[in-house]
Amino acid sequence: MKYPVKVQLAEKSRREGLDFNSLPFGKTFSDHMFVADYVDGQWKNCQIMPYGALSFAPSLMALHYGQSIFEGMKANISTQTGEPVLFRAKKHAKRFRISSERLGMPEIPEELFLEAVNSLVSLDKQWIPQTKGSALYIRPFLFATDESLGVRASSSYKFIVFTGPVGPYYPKPVRILVAQKYVRAFPGGVGSAKAAGNYAATLKPAEIAKKNGFDQILWLDGLEFKYLQECGTMNIFAVIGDTVVTPPTTDAILDGVTRDSIIHLLESMNIKVEVRPISINELVEAYQQGELKEMFGSGTAAVVSHVADLCYKDQVYTLPNIEERKVGPMIKRKLTEIKENTIEENYGWVTPAQSTILEAAK
Ligand SMILES: Cc1ncc(COP(=O)(O)O)c(C=O)c1O
């Protein structure tokens, strides 16, 4: 690799004694992290070090103006080789670049992103849970580090990757509330970037939804409150009759890696997929005609999350039981088997974790 990396290993692993069968999402972190700085127009100070706290000045720009992006991806142990494998790492690297570009941040070279991710997964492979539906979650992120209060793009940044074992995200089918007042993203905004601020904007509406007994919000476009965008932190799919429909990605919708994978897989199975705008009225009409067979959200954390109920304008629409659904449960199983390398795929999505840094250090 072009970038030299200093490796400092943890003296003692924290892995021992942890119960991997009851893992709350995003609360347990593996032994190491990868850190690099962008200073004077260059990536430098690349390090693998024990996971731990960092200290910052109160004037750190990311804290004030939100120049901060992230990715969320997963690794599993291959059921065939017993070695760690990553799912669509290159697509995540590409989306990270797209997010950084939209937020006026420097592009992270694909080589550096992939090396950081692969090295951490190889190094902390004993942290990868092997129960079905569990995985090692990988969190790369980039944030502004200039110490300054002027409103402008920062000139320095920090790139960090850390990982942690996770169990299934939404163990139960979700109840979703269709947004009526709040909006997640507008055309021309940053909705298609994985920008930290996108998530901040959804927290209050999500809390209100939760208080009213819902797990997630189905976001609509902010201009007409008519067209489906996303569901919480997932892309949204509906099965109407024998056709699977999902909205096209725009600058207000994240181009989900899981969404893209599902579209490819369904097409390869000759299941009819339509990528087109879907209005909430169309969904309600399909429901009333008995044609709305399924709805599900897709995302790295959740993989596929079945929608149990949809609430729109105080009317609750209860969807068929999971046992009666064909597409969602089948595609969830297939994706999980691909990620765990139990079944083959022809797309080159699943790659063994390989670290040139650690190989060189041997
Ligand atoms: C807003 C939003 N939409 C959709 C997704 C799904 O994207 P992916 O399948 O790449 O995880 C995510 C992230 O998981 C998200 O944060």
Side-chain angles (χ1 to χ4, degrees), residues 13-25 27-31 75 77 124-137 163-168:
S13 173
R14 291 177 283 104
R15 163 73 181 84
E16 221 171 273
L18 282 181
D19 179 9
F20 270 26
N21 290 317
S22 58
L23 289 171
F25 184 85
K27 297 229 176 191
T28 310
F29 308 112
S30 319
D31 286 329
I77 292 291
D124 284 335
K125 76 174 181 190
Q126 76 278 16
W127 287 83
I128 308 178
Q130 297 198 38
T131 359
K132 212 169 174 53
S134 301
L136 188 75
Y137 185 80
T163 71
V166 292

Side-chain angles (χ1 to χ4, degrees), residues 182-215:
Y182 296 102
V183 179
R184 191 194 89 93
F186 275 98
V190 294
S192 60
K194 257 180 110 70
N198 281 338
Y199 298 80
T202 65
L203 299 179
K204 176 184 164 174
E207 277 302 305
I208 297 171
K210 213 156 252 157
K211 277 200 187 114
N212 288 297
F214 298 95
D215 302 297

Side-chain angles (χ1 to χ4, degrees), residues 95 184 194 199 230 232-235 254 256-258 298-300:
R95 192 168 66 187
R184 191 194 89 93
K194 257 180 110 70
Y199 298 80
E230 307 194 46
T233 57
M234 299 182 287
N235 292 108
L254 191 80
V257 176
T258 318
S298 73
T300 295

Side-chain angles (χ1 to χ4, degrees), residues 323-340:
E323 299 75 46
E324 293 167 41
R325 303 188 190 190
K326 294 199 178 88
V327 180
M330 177 277 293
I331 208 72
K332 180 171 191 165
R333 202 167 45 243
K334 191 146 182 124
L335 258 179
T336 306
E337 286 173 349
I338 288 176
K339 289 181 173 196
E340 292 172 357

Side-chain angles (χ1 to χ4, degrees), residues 182-187 219-227 229:
Y182 296 102
V183 179
R184 191 194 89 93
F186 275 98
W219 300 106
L220 299 182
D221 75 276
L223 300 176
E224 297 179 82
F225 273 94
K226 186 171 167 191
Y227 291 101
Q229 286 185 335

